[in-house]
Each structure stands twice: as C-alpha cells, then as structure tokens.
Amino acid sequence: MSNRMSPWQRSNLARTIGAFAPPLLLMGLIYLASAQPDLNSGLGVFDLIGRKIVHMAEFGLLWWLWSRALGFRRPLLAAAIALAYAATDEYHQTFVAGRHGSPVDWGIDAAGIAAAWLAQRAVLRVRSSRAA
C-alpha cells in the first residue's frame, strides 16, 4: 500500500480484500481438488454419495461467500458466479486423468447453491419473525 493512501482508503481496501479473498480462496481450493487424478476411496456407493454431498456443500458455501462479498444484495449475481465456476470446474476435470466432467455433477453443484440460498432465506425469515 502506498503511503499516499488516506486511512479511509486503506480501510476500504482492507474491507474489499477481506470480502473477496474468501470466495477466491475457495475457488482455488476447488481447482486444486479437481486437479487430483482419482479421489475414489474404494468405499463404493458411500464414497460416491459422500463426494456428491461435499460438492453440494462446497458450491453452496461458494455461493454464500460470493453473496457475502457482494453485501448480500445480489444473490442472483452470486449464484451466476458460482454456477459459472461449477461449469468451468466440470470442464477442467475433463483434462484430468481419472476424472470426468459431467452435466449431472454441475446439476448437483447447482442444487447445493439452491439449498444454501433457501437456507439463508429461511434463517432471514426466522430472524425477522423473532424481531417482530
């Protein structure tokens, strides 16, 4: 940071970095996990279901982090970013040995985003009813 920045500018920059760093870091972690050649643990259907649940959770979290970074005012934009990244993640997996990209997996990621969005709306509804 430059010495010529005012305290307000430094504070604003720190807030911006603090807001946008978490979703960007999660995107990096998703990329690294997708670059692993084979994540099969040998547990059969339990492994498959577990990985799908993790996919839903990580993309639900990604939506929430983007929504938070955008001040919770643009949930559709946060969903668009998370869905676009889910699509690029599936495409990326087509280049990794032992992995494959799938529209079904993208749909599972989308379901995680939808579940997170619905959960957030439910929490907000409960909070507003308690305040009333």
Side-chain angles (χ1 to χ4, degrees):
M1 286 187 243
S2 169
N3 288 336
R4 290 191 274 215
M5 291 178 79
S6 72
W8 179 85
Q9 288 171 317
R10 282 193 295 273
S11 172
N12 198 26
L13 178 61
R15 244 183 272 118
T16 300
I17 291 170
F20 288 94
L24 293 172
L25 286 172
L26 181 56
M27 291 168 84
L29 289 173
I30 291 169
Y31 180 86
L32 290 174
S34 291
Q36 302 308 306
D38 188 6
L39 298 177
N40 190 351
S41 68
L43 296 175
V45 71
F46 294 110
D47 179 65
L48 177 68
I49 292 170
R51 282 187 287 129
K52 301 310 176 190
I53 290 170
V54 168
H55 261 262
M56 287 179 71
E58 70 189 1
F59 280 93
L61 177 60
L62 184 61
W63 169 81
W64 188 86
L65 289 172
W66 274 115
S67 187
R68 177 181 164 265
L70 298 169
F72 294 107
R73 291 182 308 274
R74 297 185 181 111
L76 279 173
L77 178 58
I81 293 168
L83 288 170
Y85 193 70
T88 65
D89 178 55
E90 293 304 319
Y91 182 67
H92 169 239
Q93 289 180 40
T94 66
F95 298 99
V96 178
R99 303 291 296 271
H100 67 280
S102 161
V104 172
D105 284 349
W106 181 86
I108 291 168
D109 299 341
I113 293 165
W117 196 343
L118 290 172
Q120 185 204 30
R121 289 176 54 103
V123 167
L124 292 175
R125 228 177 285 121
V126 167
R127 283 184 184 169
S128 69
S129 69
R130 285 184 182 168

